[in-house]
Amino acid sequence: NITADGVLRNLRRQRNSGGNNQKTYYIPQHPLFTYISCPNFFGEILEWFGYAVASQFSLPAMAFFIYTSSNLVPRAIAHHEWYKQKFKDYPLERKWAVIPFVV
């Protein structure tokens, strides 16, 4: 999660260092982005699932896992669709939005 967030943050920082205020978007290029468009969201979901397991599936932990998943999965799908519409050369192997081989 931290690595994926760093890749996205540095992508914006490196590309806009020229001083222009124009919004420019780029396709993230990193091994974490090989198969899914939003590995940062996947990491967040995985962290909360791990917390739920560690707490022996307590009600508060499960509620947080379910809430986080129900919030981030639709966002990841929207991000994935936006990437495909915005970039004609979006990598074909990046078929999933957030969970590899599932969604």
Side-chain angles (χ1 to χ4, degrees), residues 36-38 40-41 69-87 90 94-99 103:
I36 58 177
S37 295
C38 301
N40 51 332
F41 294 163
S69 298
S70 64
N71 180 13
L72 293 182
V73 169
R75 283 182 64 193
I77 292 170
H79 282 239
H80 184 68
E81 293 302 318
W82 182 86
Y83 275 125
K84 291 192 311 186
Q85 290 174 2
K86 178 81 175 169
F87 300 104
Y90 196 66
R94 230 178 269 184
K95 296 178 184 177
W96 297 278
V98 65
I99 301 172
V103 175

Side-chain angles (χ1 to χ4, degrees), residues 21-65:
N21 291 330
Q22 182 182 11
K23 284 189 176 183
T24 306
Y25 298 98
Y26 303 96
I27 300 172
Q29 302 296 331
H30 188 275
L32 291 173
F33 291 86
T34 301
Y35 298 109
I36 58 177
S37 295
C38 301
N40 51 332
F41 294 163
F42 176 66
E44 186 80 15
I45 291 168
L46 196 61
E47 288 169 11
W48 285 113
F49 178 73
Y51 179 71
V53 170
S55 70
Q56 299 177 348
F57 299 102
S58 69
L59 182 60
M62 284 302 296
F64 230 99
F65 166 67

